[in-house]
Amino acid sequence: MRLRKSSFVHQIDVGPNNVLLVHAISQLKLKVDDELGRLMQHFSDWREFPQGFAEVRKLLPYEDQIIAGTINALRERELLTDKSAGEELADIARKLGPTFGRDPEELLDRYRRELKEGTADYWAVTASQAVGDMGREKPRLDLILLGDCDIHMEADFLRREAERRGYDLRVAATAPDDFAFAAEHRHDAVLIGALHARHFITMPEQAGGEPHEIYIAQAKNNLLRLRDKTSAPILIDNLPEPTVQPLGIAERGRSGHRNRFRIANVALAELAELIPDVYVVDLAAALAGAGSIPLLDDWQVGFTHMGSPGWMLQRPQREKAAVHDLMPEMTGLVEIVGGNPYRREAVVARTHIDTLVAVLGLNQKKCVIVDLDNTLWPGVLAETGTPFAWEPSISGVFSYVGLYFGLHEALKCLKKRGIVLACVSKNDEAVVRALWKYPDSYPRERLLTLEDFVTHRINWNDKVDNIRSIADELGFAPETFLFVDDNPVERERVRQLLPEVEVWGEDLLALRRALLDDPRLQVARVTNESSRRTELMKAKLGRARLQAEAADEASYLASLQIKIRIERAATEANFDRIDELFRRTTQFNTTGRVFTALQLRELAASANAMIFALHVSDRFADHGLVGAAVIENGAIIGLVMSCRVLGLGIEHRFVQHVLESAGSDHLTATIVPTGRNLPVRNIYRDNGFVIEGDVWRWQRAPQPACVPEAVT
């Protein structure tokens, strides 16, 4: 393949180790470092690739995979091309030529919106991208920002925060009311920044209305108009709580300055519940947690701007003309923001990426495995004789013992979210069972017992082997586990031998907050099935034990007393649960495709689509909604089933029901192989489909013709 720098790309040195790449047609602006600048210059002439690796290595001393990734990233942005100048011009003309009477200028704008990345120069805070940013293959995420300078200045901080977590985040920022942009630009989610109507919150109350109503009306209008353009999740910022008040302590009641913003945030949270797949980003909590004064400018320039105090350190010098080129000494402000004018952007970017990770279910953890001695309780249980020596005569529960009570409580919260708990401990199980008890005076509703754990390994075996055993028993991938242990030797051993497993335990004082706040331990919605996941997983393990004891497979299945119910999902169905199934299930998942609750609801209402839901119960538990199939335009575009009910033959009964109920004599389906979905690879083959290329095809068998009886 021959590659060269696009004829439409201009390359400008804009400072030490800063090169600006500008695409004249798409208006893409990308700031890169000198290494990438030299690479672009290298492609000023035609270069053979990958044959030219040796020449590129002289410019970039990186591994071939990194170099190839970097070049592919530049091609994707149309900065490098395999077309000649004439072919490139013809290709652009073809894309922008008038179609069906449309305005060519409109087509040009649309083309630019489709390729847009970054934000306006005036608002942008941009770090130069390097080979390390582009060259390493990472999952790609696309995020649209709707708003003004508060969120536009954050764009590059979002990219860097996502990079730190292993994601290639492409950010495109536009005006707060550019709703059509979402229909014309690739995206996985949309983020809405501060709304203009916040300025009305501090205005005098009007008869018959409350100060926040205009703000909520604008939020509702924006969300509904945006929802009309996209089915992707929408994240909307709530309002920071003010650091100062116009009337100070005289601000009273609901109409008090701070309370107006608090009430507005409550109303926004209630509004989000009325519109599918809308999530409020709790910016107020994030800024308060980090210390609001260095992050909010309401003590500095106005009561409703709610921007960064550091912006005063970033303004262009020409704006000093408004104050006769005179300004106070800035040393005090520099100290307040800790010498970092972009401190707010970094804090808020972490919050936004946290929310994005939680909403999209990225790298979710399914199981937390905890050590016992010196982790769940102080000391070694076999030596202390009891988990805690606390009693009311010593102290209240919010004393030193509160550290451990709080940790137990956090783990119980994870259990309610649908994350299962397990424990490993080098100990004698009989001793632990005998001693793990609490007196009646203890707050038992906050404390764990062995029954809270879906499984355990209390023995003298190596913890790495025990964790592997738990993973095999539960059927979860290693990357879905979090292991917590106070012992640095055990932590390091797990990190070395099970690198996919997340390992914590260095700071037990910070552990409760980490468990409650980490986005990978959060779910967008708590469904009935997720809140009962420990119970349902125990039922699965109970079936496994029963199967091991059964004389044969037929008697085992008969003893389970399995009942199934399959229904076509209507618009009022439990789409949050079906959404959760597609996000969480990796083994019996034909394509890995994710469907939001809103997309599912729209498909269910469509004349060209249908959704089937599978409910299962047996003698051990009512497992609830455990499977789903999505059909659109005669194709099964998604088929998923919880691993809890695999191996019972239910999957074949489900597929056969779907085929019989789809109302068509022909259906197609695809399977996208992943590292985890081996159990689903043969589902179509075993149910009458025939493979043609990459597509499985099913055709209803012809019914025998009815032969009339002879008349005698």
Side-chain angles (χ1 to χ4, degrees), residues 561-580:
Q561 303 168 23
I562 299 171
K563 297 179 182 178
I564 69 171
R565 176 169 57 89
I566 303 170
E567 61 185 8
R568 181 173 174 182
T571 52
E572 69 277 4
N574 187 359
F575 293 116
D576 286 332
R577 169 57 181 161
I578 300 176
D579 175 346
E580 180 186 43

Side-chain angles (χ1 to χ4, degrees), residues 280-474:
V280 175
V281 181
D282 199 346
L283 215 59
L287 295 175
S292 295
I293 289 177
L295 308 175
L296 283 177
D297 65 0
D298 66 323
W299 55 270
Q300 188 178 33
V301 299
F303 290 118
T304 58
H305 186 251
M306 296 295 191
S308 166
W311 290 359
M312 192 72 74
L313 304 172
Q314 307 166 35
R315 307 304 300 182
Q317 290 298 308
R318 59 179 174 77
E319 292 186 353
K320 286 187 177 180
V323 290
H324 309 294
D325 289 320
L326 301 173
M327 272 297 289
E329 173 58 44
M330 296 282 194
T331 305
L333 178 57
V334 172
E335 291 177 356
I336 287 174
V337 299
N340 179 8
Y342 303 114
R343 185 172 168 185
R344 174 192 167 110
E345 283 75 15
V347 168
V348 176
R350 285 196 298 271
T351 304
H352 283 143
I353 295 298
D354 278 351
T355 309
L356 188 66
V357 167
V359 166
L360 297 181
L362 304 176
N363 194 20
Q364 274 192 331
K365 304 304 176 188
K366 295 183 177 182
C367 179
V368 176
I369 303 176
V370 294
D371 172 46
L372 297 180
D373 291 336
N374 289 307
T375 302
L376 276 193
W377 47 68
V380 177
L381 187 59
E383 297 174 357
T384 61
T386 179
F388 308 104
W390 177 82
E391 56 184 56
S393 62
I394 295 176
S395 68
V397 294
F398 301 109
S399 61
Y400 291 118
V401 76
L403 169 67
Y404 296 95
F405 285 8
L407 176 57
H408 282 235
E409 187 177 52
L411 289 166
K412 286 177 78 77
C413 289
L414 297 191
K415 183 182 169 187
K416 292 177 183 177
R417 297 177 187 180
I419 295 165
V420 297
L421 307 179
C423 62
V424 296
S425 177
K426 288 186 176 179
N427 234 314
D428 184 287
E429 182 171 343
V431 171
V432 171
R433 285 184 177 276
L435 299 178
W436 191 346
K437 298 176 181 178
Y438 309 115
D440 291 340
S441 58
Y442 277 51
R444 296 188 180 191
E445 72 282 356
R446 298 178 60 200
L447 298 175
L448 294 164
T449 69
L450 198 54
E451 290 303 308
D452 287 302
F453 295 86
V454 70
T455 189
H456 61 270
R457 299 293 186 274
I458 303 174
N459 53 41
W460 299 102
N461 297 341
D462 181 68
K463 287 189 178 180
V464 168
D465 292 337
N466 278 333
I467 292 172
R468 287 194 178 113
S469 171
I470 289 173
D472 290 340
E473 182 182 18
L474 299 183

Side-chain angles (χ1 to χ4, degrees), residues 69-265:
T70 301
I71 291 173
N72 285 335
L74 294 171
R75 283 191 68 204
E76 187 181 299
R77 291 169 167 86
E78 299 187 7
L79 299 173
L80 294 180
T81 180
D82 59 356
K83 299 179 177 65
S84 68
E87 291 170 336
E88 192 179 13
L89 184 61
D91 185 56
I92 294 291
R94 177 183 57 79
K95 292 177 180 177
L96 302 183
T99 305
F100 300 114
R102 290 185 62 183
D103 184 351
E105 185 175 347
E106 178 190 344
L107 290 174
L108 176 59
D109 287 342
R110 178 168 183 166
Y111 174 73
R112 288 170 172 168
R113 289 196 294 269
E114 288 173 351
L115 296 179
K116 182 175 175 59
E117 186 174 346
T119 182
D121 292 341
Y122 180 72
W123 285 332
V125 181
T126 306
S128 296
Q129 297 199 46
V131 174
D133 298 320
M134 288 192 175
R136 292 181 175 84
E137 186 176 351
K138 300 175 287 290
R140 174 173 171 174
L141 296 173
D142 287 81
L143 180 65
I144 292 175
L145 306 184
L146 294 183
D148 290 324
C149 56
D150 63 316
I151 201 161
H152 284 221
M153 290 188 71
E154 190 192 331
D156 204 56
F157 292 87
L158 289 166
R159 179 183 65 79
R160 282 181 274 172
E161 181 64 26
E163 164 75 22
R164 187 180 66 80
R165 305 186 197 201
Y167 294 96
D168 175 18
L169 181 68
R170 310 288 179 87
V171 176
T174 187
D177 58 353
D178 190 3
F179 308 114
F181 185 72
E184 299 176 347
H185 192 282
R186 168 179 172 172
H187 63 283
D188 297 293
V190 180
L191 174 58
I192 301 176
L195 301 177
H196 291 162
R198 69 187 184 278
H199 299 296
F200 289 96
I201 292 177
T202 59
M203 296 183 68
E205 293 185 66
Q206 302 295 318
E210 293 205 63
H212 65 273
E213 288 181 351
I214 297 177
Y215 166 77
I216 294 300
Q218 185 183 25
K220 183 177 181 179
N221 176 68
N222 287 13
L223 290 170
L224 290 176
R225 293 184 66 182
L226 188 57
R227 181 49 75 221
D228 186 52
K229 301 294 183 182
T230 176
S231 59
I234 302 173
L235 283 57
I236 182 168
D237 286 343
N238 70 6
L239 298 170
E241 290 196 7
T243 66
V244 293
Q245 303 201 94
L247 303 181
I249 197 172
E251 299 278 5
R252 308 293 289 272
R254 287 178 60 89
S255 62
H257 180 68
R258 274 198 192 98
N259 285 339
R260 291 186 181 204
F261 285 84
R262 290 166 177 159
I263 292 169
N265 284 343

